[in-house]
Amino acid sequence: VSGQYLGSTATLLCAPMVHAWWPSIFYLFGGLGIMWGVVWGLIGADSAAAHRYIGAAEREYVTASIPTLPRVEIVPWRQVITEPCALAIYTAHFCDNYANFFIISWLPKYLVDVVGLSLKESGVVLLLPYIMPFFGVLSAGQVSDWLITTHSWEVVTVRKVMQATSDVVLSMCILYFVLVPAPTAQEFTVVMAIGGFFKSMHICGYWTNIVDIGPRYAGPLMGVSNTIAALPGVIGNLVT
């Protein structure tokens, strides 16, 4: 999951390409996507047991960690849609994506209109805020496991703490720019880097909680959650 943030950072490094010839970015990432699709088709496998490129120790560890569950014959859609714990996940996912789409849509314009940077410069300034979530996810995963295994915290408590930390810290970072209406590029970078680091902790919140509450129905749960969480991409900019 953390790798997605490295991909976002890589796109920012290509800001000079956009400035020089904007179609180049589409050719570059379209070509990389095709190449990765070929690689994935060659090395991917249905399971760890069938994978040709992992060692025996890793294969045994992964296989032993996967619970044996009966095949899903009928999805209990009523519970998937109405269960309170599922509704909590959908709400958190919706709010998180609202923040995501808000940041993606408005940060470039904010950097140009308020901070006073050019489009080329904004790509450089956003590097740190966009790479910090990579470290945030890895840290949250380690801390979550440490709290559960070493300090015997309940799993649900850890999920709530990670989700609350993600939401509160990111909200405070965004509110900072309301209180400081004309930040410098350095202020912007530091505040958003902090926000990005803690924001990514939601992966150890609602995201992982889907598997906690319904391992047999993680697919339908994630499908419903992603559908609801896509709505901010449609209505978020209009409402904002």
Side-chain angles (χ1 to χ4, degrees):
V1 175
S2 59
Q4 63 182 312
Y5 300 111
L6 294 181
S8 300
T9 305
T11 61
L12 294 172
L13 292 172
C14 298
M17 295 175 57
V18 178
H19 185 74
W21 185 51
W22 68 264
S24 62
I25 197 73
F26 294 94
Y27 286 111
L28 173 63
F29 284 99
L32 290 175
I34 293 173
M35 292 173 58
W36 175 241
V38 173
V39 172
W40 182 266
L42 293 174
I43 68 173
D46 290 337
S47 65
H51 205 291
R52 295 174 293 174
Y53 299 103
I54 63 174
E58 182 180 1
R59 180 182 293 107
E60 183 179 350
Y61 174 79
V62 173
T63 303
S65 302
I66 300 175
T68 302
L69 299 172
R71 182 181 178 85
V72 175
E73 300 293 343
I74 300 176
V75 177
W77 286 109
R78 184 175 66 82
Q79 287 89 341
V80 167
I81 296 173
T82 62
E83 193 68 27
C85 54
L87 294 177
I89 289 173
Y90 305 153
T91 302
H93 199 170
F94 178 94
C95 295
D96 180 73
N97 267 23
Y98 195 105
N100 281 340
F101 287 120
F102 171 79
I103 291 172
I104 292 171
S105 300
W106 291 100
L107 274 194
K109 182 175 176 59
Y110 180 86
L111 287 172
V112 173
D113 294 350
V114 179
V115 183
L117 301 178
S118 66
L119 182 61
K120 183 177 181 180
E121 292 170 329
S122 67
V124 177
V125 169
L126 286 170
L127 277 175
L128 187 60
Y130 269 77
I131 199 171
M132 287 305 290
F134 171 78
F135 299 103
V137 171
L138 297 180
S139 300
Q142 292 295 322
V143 172
S144 295
D145 287 346
W146 176 69
L147 291 173
I148 293 170
T149 59
T150 304
H151 292 275
S152 301
W153 282 35
E154 291 186 358
V155 172
V156 65
T157 302
V158 173
R159 301 292 181 246
K160 290 177 179 179
V161 168
M162 290 296 163
Q163 186 64 47
T165 302
S166 171
D167 294 340
V168 171
V169 175
L170 179 61
S171 298
M172 291 174 63
C173 290
I174 293 175
L175 287 173
Y176 175 86
F177 298 110
V178 177
L179 302 175
V180 183
T184 64
Q186 291 79 9
E187 287 177 312
F188 175 88
T189 301
V190 171
V191 172
M192 288 309 298
I194 294 172
F197 180 90
F198 285 97
K199 171 192 169 298
S200 62
M201 290 184 175
H202 74 265
I203 297 296
C204 295
Y206 75 82
W207 192 273
T208 312
N209 194 222
I210 288 176
V211 181
D212 294 331
I213 69 169
R216 293 183 63 197
Y217 309 108
L221 285 165
M222 179 57 74
V224 173
S225 189
N226 265 333
T227 300
I228 294 172
L231 296 177
V234 179
I235 64 175
N237 285 331
L238 296 175
V239 174
T240 303

